[in-house]
Amino acid sequence: MTDAELYELRAARSADDLWPMLEALYAAHPGYAAFRAELEQAMRAAWEARPAELKRLDLARDLEPDWFQRPGMVGYVFYIDRFAGDLKGVRERLDYLADLGVTYIHFMPCLKPREGDSDGGYSVQDYREIAPHLGTMAEFEETVAAARARGMSVCIDMVLNHTAKEHDWAARARAGEAAYLDYYLTFPDDTLPQEYAKTAHEVFPAHAPGNFTYYEDMGRWVWTSFNEHQWDLNWANPRVFLEMAEVMLFLANRGVEVLRFDAVAFLWKRLGTRCQSEPECHMILQALRAISRIVTPAVIHLEEAIVGPAEMLPYLGRGIHDGKEGNLAYHNSLMVQFWSALAARDTRMMSHVLATHFPPALTNATYANYLRCHDDIGWAVTDEDASAVGLNGALHRAFLSDFYEGVFPGSFAKGELFQHDPETGDKRISGSCASLAGVEKALEAGDPVALDRAIDRVLMGHALIAAFGGIPLIYMGDELGMLNDYGYTGYAPHAHDSRWLHRPLMDWALVETAQSDPASVPARLLTGIKTIMARRAATPEIHGAVPTEILETGHRALFAFARRAPTGPLICVFNFSEQWQSLPLDWASLHGATLFEDALSRAPVGDGNGRIPLPPYARLWLR
Ligand code: GLC
C-alpha cells in the first residue's frame, strides 16, 4: 500500500467526525468554501512532510489504539529549565526518568513566549519556535527523538485560547489590519464588554481582574480572559481554526505525541453565559481530534479544563462526541477530593462525588491523574455534593483553604493563598505535594512520627493515582519530597503569583541523598514511588479501559474502589487517617478478592482473625 492510499483510508475513516463539525461551526461564514479547501490542502501537505519514522509510529498506534491506557504508562511533568537547564540537560537526564519508570514526559510550556512575565510560558509569541533559552527547534526534535527511543512519549502545551499580545497576529491586529483584527475579540467601545462581563467568569480576580483590556493606541477593548498580555482568539473565525490546525500538525511533525490543549473551556463566548464550555468548544475539539487521527494518528490530545465533573467529562467525549474528543483530561475532582479527604480524615464526599458523577469507564479516553501540578488547587466542591454528605459547602471550602494554608489549628500542611477573591470568598491554595502533606512541618518540628505520617500521605496519594484508571502524572520533585520554594517573592516577574511556590528548581542533590542515605526523606519517597509505578506496570487490572467501581467500606476514613477486570477484580483500599483501621476479610471476598496478598507490597494480608489491619495511611491492592 502506498502512503497516499493509507492517507485516503484514514481520511475516509474520520470524515464523519470532521466535516459535520466544521460545517456546523463555519458553513455560514462567507469564507467557508475556501477555508475547507485550504484545510484539506494543509492536511495533505503535513502528511507528505511527515517523517518516515513518525509514519511508522502512526501505524503502530493505529494497531494499538489503547497504548495510552496501558498500565505501563507513567507520566512526569516539568519545566525544562527548572528540571535540567535546557534541552541538552533533559537529554542527559533521561536515565533518571527511565529509572523512575517514566513513559510520558510533559515539557511545561516550551514554545517561544513573550519577554518578561509570560504566565509560566502560557503567553506564546511564536508557536513554531522553541523558547531560545531552552534550545532550538532542531534540538527539540533531537530531544523528542531521544526520548522516544527510550520509550517515552513527549507531551507539550499548545495554548488554544489566546496568544501573547506580541504574537505576529496580535501585532498586526493592533496595527489595524482588518484580517487580523478578526483573529481576536475586540470592541470599539465597552457596551458589549460590559454585557459579557455580567456573566463571564473571572480567572485571575486578584492580579488580573476583569476580562477586557482597553488599548488607547488601538482605541479598542480586547478580550483578555487571563492576563492583560494574553489575547483571546476569535474561534468563530475559520481562519483561526485553520492557523491553529496548521500549528498542531507542525508540532506533531516535530515528534510530539501528546498535545496538551490549554484552557479549552474558554474557546467560545456567548452573551448571557459564563463563556465557558459552550457546545462549540466540543465541536472545535472533536474536529481537531479528527484531523490528528487522519494526518498524525500517533498523536493524542490532553484537554485542560479545570472545572467541575459535569463540565469536565464532555472533554473526554460525551453524547454525540463519545469516543471522539479528548483522549485525556485532568481528573481535577479526584485531586481535589484527595486533599479534601486527607484534611477531613473523611472520605464520604470523595466516594459520593466519584460514584455519582463519573461513569465507570470511558470510550477511547482516560484520565490524567495527579496530586499536584504547576497550578493552584481551587476547592471545586459544590454545595450539592457537600450537603449530600451533611457538610456545608462554603464552610468546607473555607476549612480546606485554612487547612492547607496551615492556619487551621492542628493542620499538618504548609501552603499559601492564591487569588483570594473577597467578593466570592474564594481562596485557592499553592504549595508543593510534600509541604501540603506535612513533610515541611514535621521536619521543622523534628518530629519523626509526624514525618512518617507525612511520607505515608504522599505515598498513599501516589498509590491512589497509580491504580484509579488513567495515566498517573508525577509532578517534578514530588518523588523526592521537594518543599515549598519561598524564593519566588524575591524575583519581580514571579512575585505576584504564588504558584511559583511549587515550581522550584530541581534539587539534584536530593537524588544523591536518596542514594547515599536510605533512611532519608528523598530515599523513602523515591523508592516508594518507583515501586508503586513498577507494580502498576505489572498489574493488568489497572488498564485504563477497565471499569472503576467505587466501593462502600462503612468507615469514614477508608476509601475503596474495584477495578472490574475480566480476569477478576483488583480491590484497592486507602486509609485517609493516622488511626489504625481494619476491614473484615469477608468484605474483600464479597467484592471478589480471592488472593489475600497485597499486589503493591507483595505481602500477605489478614491478621489470622478474619480481619485486614490497615495502618495509618495504608494502601492496599487486592486481587
Ligand atoms: C492553564 C494553565 C495555567 C495558565 C492558564 C492560561 O490553566 O495551566 O497555568 O495560567 O492556562 O494559559
Side-chain angles (χ1 to χ4, degrees):
M1 185 179 355
T2 65
D3 262 13
E5 284 171 308
L6 191 53
Y7 183 88
E8 293 313 326
L9 282 175
R10 289 190 179 124
R13 174 190 65 188
S14 300
D16 288 346
D17 296 343
L18 175 59
W19 303 110
M21 292 297 123
L22 295 179
E23 254 149 55
L25 288 163
Y26 303 123
H29 200 278
Y32 182 67
F35 155 73
R36 188 181 159 130
E38 274 182 74
L39 178 62
E40 271 186 295
Q41 210 178 5
M43 288 166 64
R44 277 175 208 281
W47 172 247
E48 268 155 37
R50 190 151 171 84
E53 198 196 330
L54 296 178
K55 287 186 173 173
R56 199 175 167 280
L57 188 66
D58 290 332
L59 199 52
R61 293 289 157 75
D62 265 347
L63 295 171
E64 191 193 353
D66 66 335
W67 67 275
F68 62 95
Q69 298 175 313
R70 301 224 166 174
M73 291 299 288
V74 174
Y76 191 85
V77 182
F78 58 84
Y79 290 92
I80 292 169
D81 51 354
R82 308 218 131 221
F83 177 67
D86 55 16
L87 285 163
K88 180 166 172 288
V90 172
R91 294 197 293 281
E92 287 161 6
R93 296 294 184 183
L94 290 177
D95 284 344
Y96 175 75
L97 297 175
D99 186 49
L100 197 54
V102 168
T103 59
Y104 164 123
I105 43 186
H106 176 184
F107 294 162
M108 290 295 293
C110 59
L111 302 178
K112 189 180 172 190
R114 72 189 289 268
E115 276 174 33
D117 175 34
S118 62
D119 187 24
Y122 286 104
S123 202
V124 178
Q125 185 174 334
D126 191 335
Y127 290 86
R128 287 181 164 83
E129 268 185 55
I130 294 297
H133 68 290
L134 303 177
T136 61
M137 189 51 88
E139 270 182 280
F140 175 78
E141 288 184 68
E142 185 187 340
T143 311
V144 172
R148 188 166 54 247
R150 308 283 307 260
M152 295 178 217
S153 302
V154 169
C155 166
I156 70 164
D157 290 85
M158 181 172 160
V159 185
L160 295 186
N161 180 64
H162 42 262
T163 71
K165 67 176 178 189
E166 290 80 4
H167 190 287
D168 184 48
W169 307 331
R172 295 169 83 159
R174 198 159 177 173
E177 275 188 55
Y180 288 95
L181 268 173
D182 202 24
Y183 275 40
Y184 296 91
L185 295 155
T186 74
F187 308 87
D189 57 59
D190 70 349
T191 322
L192 271 174
Q194 286 209 17
E195 278 305 306
Y196 279 111
K198 285 183 185 160
T199 52
H201 171 79
E202 267 184 275
V203 183
F204 295 142
H207 74 234
N211 282 307
F212 300 91
T213 306
Y214 185 70
Y215 291 89
E216 246 168 70
D217 56 330
M218 287 173 89
R220 296 183 82 86
W221 290 86
V222 179
W223 199 309
T224 51
S225 293
F226 289 81
N227 291 290
E228 174 274 324
H229 51 78
Q230 290 160 300
W231 285 19
D232 288 45
L233 285 162
N234 173 21
W235 279 86
N237 176 359
R239 308 304 306 177
V240 167
F241 184 97
L242 179 65
E243 296 269 17
M244 292 311 253
E246 285 183 315
V247 166
M248 178 179 89
L249 295 172
F250 170 84
L251 295 173
N253 278 355
R254 310 277 83 69
V256 171
E257 292 179 47
V258 185
L259 286 168
R260 176 193 179 279
F261 289 149
D262 179 71
V264 288
F266 299 88
L267 300 184
W268 203 269
K269 330 286 188 199
R270 175 167 282 121
L271 265 180
T273 71
R274 290 181 312 128
C275 298
Q276 266 196 51
S277 301
E278 287 296 300
E280 287 83 354
C281 296
H282 299 292
M283 298 160 81
I284 293 167
L285 292 164
Q286 174 174 322
L288 290 174
R289 173 87 197 98
I291 293 174
S292 287
R293 289 251 293 157
I294 294 170
V295 190
T296 61
V299 174
I300 59 169
H301 297 176
L302 162 61
E303 296 185 0
E304 189 246 359
I306 305 305
V307 290
E311 196 179 332
M312 178 275 248
L313 279 166
Y315 291 96
L316 291 168
R318 307 302 283 166
I320 60 161
H321 305 292
D322 188 66
K324 298 172 179 172
E325 205 180 317
N327 306 78
L328 293 166
Y330 291 101
H331 203 325
N332 178 55
S333 293
L334 182 66
M335 184 277 289
V336 167
Q337 294 298 333
F338 167 78
W339 291 106
S340 165
L342 207 56
R345 281 80 166 174
D346 185 340
T347 66
R348 286 174 303 163
M349 185 165 53
M350 182 177 199
S351 300
H352 167 77
V353 164
L354 295 169
T356 52
H357 300 310
F358 293 90
L362 299 153
T363 313
N364 186 30
T366 193
Y367 303 109
N369 291 323
Y370 64 118
L371 299 175
R372 289 300 295 118
C373 69
H374 67 293
D375 278 330
D376 54 292
I377 306 177
W379 301 113
V381 168
T382 65
D383 293 343
E384 293 73 31
D385 288 330
S387 60
V389 296
L391 296 172
N392 172 300
L395 289 180
H396 187 67
R397 291 189 293 271
F399 158 69
L400 293 173
S401 300
D402 289 350
F403 190 93
Y404 287 107
E405 193 190 351
V407 299
F408 190 85
S411 164
F412 49 70
K414 270 193 97 166
E416 284 185 6
L417 292 183
F418 178 71
Q419 301 292 314
H420 178 196
D421 186 344
E423 218 166 283
T424 60
D426 191 32
K427 289 177 178 176
R428 288 135 71 176
I429 286 289
S430 292
S432 79
C433 183
S435 293
L436 295 179
V439 175
E440 190 169 334
K441 269 197 184 163
L443 287 172
E444 277 170 8
D447 180 341
V449 177
L451 188 60
D452 285 353
R453 299 289 178 265
I455 288 173
D456 278 324
R457 287 184 197 106
V458 176
L459 292 176
M460 195 251 300
H462 283 86
L464 174 68
I465 60 169
F468 189 80
I471 304 182
L473 301 179
I474 302 169
Y475 184 62
M476 185 203 90
D478 288 353
E479 78 281 16
L480 297 163
M482 283 192 68
L483 305 177
N484 289 340
D485 175 8
Y486 298 96
Y488 78 94
T489 50
Y491 179 58
H494 295 169
H496 67 280
D497 188 339
S498 73
R499 292 177 298 174
W500 290 96
L501 186 64
H502 51 261
R503 297 171 180 176
L505 286 174
M506 180 70 163
D507 186 352
W508 289 102
L510 294 178
V511 179
E512 281 162 38
T513 309
Q515 279 154 359
S516 61
D517 177 3
S520 63
V521 175
R524 291 169 66 187
L525 286 176
L526 190 59
T527 318
I529 290 175
K530 233 161 83 170
T531 306
I532 291 166
M533 298 307 164
R535 297 288 195 265
R536 170 183 150 86
T539 308
E541 295 88 339
I542 281 175
H543 190 287
V546 171
T548 301
E549 179 196 343
I550 307 299
L551 302 178
E552 267 301 327
T553 62
H555 294 262
R556 284 184 184 197
L558 299 181
F559 174 67
F561 55 80
R563 304 300 313 279
R564 293 279 173 212
T567 49
L570 183 77
I571 311 281
C572 304
V573 184
F574 305 88
N575 179 359
F576 275 74
S577 77
E578 48 271 273
Q579 318 297 327
W580 280 74
Q581 311 281 344
S582 74
L583 277 172
L585 281 173
D586 285 350
W587 175 89
S589 309
L590 196 72
H591 288 296
T594 51
L595 202 71
F596 289 95
E597 189 198 70
D598 177 11
L600 202 48
S601 64
R602 302 217 163 136
V605 300
D607 63 354
N609 289 314
R611 297 196 74 84
I612 306 170
L614 295 158
Y617 302 109
R619 50 271 173 194
L620 200 64
W621 299 352
L622 291 180
R623 289 216 164 103

